[in-house]
Amino acid sequence: MNEPLPTSPSPAPGAAAQAIATDIRARYRGLRAGAAPQAAITVLHIGAEHTAVATGQGDEAMAWLVLDMGAQKTARQFFKRSPPTPLEMEHAIATVEDEVIRAVPLLPPGTALLCSDALVREVALLAGLAPGERMAMPLDAMERVFERLAAVAEGRPVVREGLPQGTDFAAALLILREFMHHLRFGAITVVR
């Protein structure tokens, strides 16, 4: 069995870290089944307290990493208001960027990004993608949803933008944006 790349410091103690690692490897195997044989894939899962990523070209992930950020944790840590303020967003972005960059050494060249998270699916639908079993969301479509969130943070009514009002959604969108942007993914495929 492949071992994860070292993480420092460990984002979750003992059994919790093991459960998260087991979960992301299982998600990888599940999404790997629908990918082209031997194509490099990277699976992203934005959880409540942690974000995990697994990558590889075979049936099993060759590497995985648990990042110390999640939708609820990031919202709780940075967003005191709903919607978050521009300053709260900037503080969250700075911290999330630092954490996301840790995944750079994991990624094989030309890897495709996949996800099965409900929140990421919601982003894809808000980006205007037609509902389906596999939805390929380009980076620019996701960025347009993020721009709508930024407009809400600047004072535009959330109802006008049609975005969910919870800070968990804002945090998940921010994590997704920073992940795709800083790791240079041109698209994410959301799989049901």
Side-chain angles (χ1 to χ4, degrees), residues 7 9-21 49-50 66-68 73:
T7 58
S10 176
Q18 183 61 38
I20 296 164
E49 301 297 318
H50 298 92
V66 178
L67 302 171
D68 193 20
K73 181 176 186 171

Side-chain angles (χ1 to χ4, degrees), residues 45 63 84 95 101 117 119 123 125 167 174:
H45 170 58
T95 299
I101 293 302
D117 295 349
L119 277 172
V123 172
L125 293 171
T167 56
L174 185 145

Side-chain angles (χ1 to χ4, degrees), residues 4 17-31 42-46 51-55 60-61 63-66 106 114-117:
Q18 183 61 38
I20 296 164
T22 299
D23 177 68
I24 192 61
R25 291 191 328 260
R27 287 173 186 271
Y28 174 91
R29 284 189 302 274
L31 293 175
T42 298
V43 174
L44 173 67
H45 170 58
I46 303 170
T51 295
V53 59
T55 192
E60 295 291 328
W64 56 90
L65 182 65
V66 178
L106 244 69
L114 292 96
C115 185
S116 60
D117 295 349

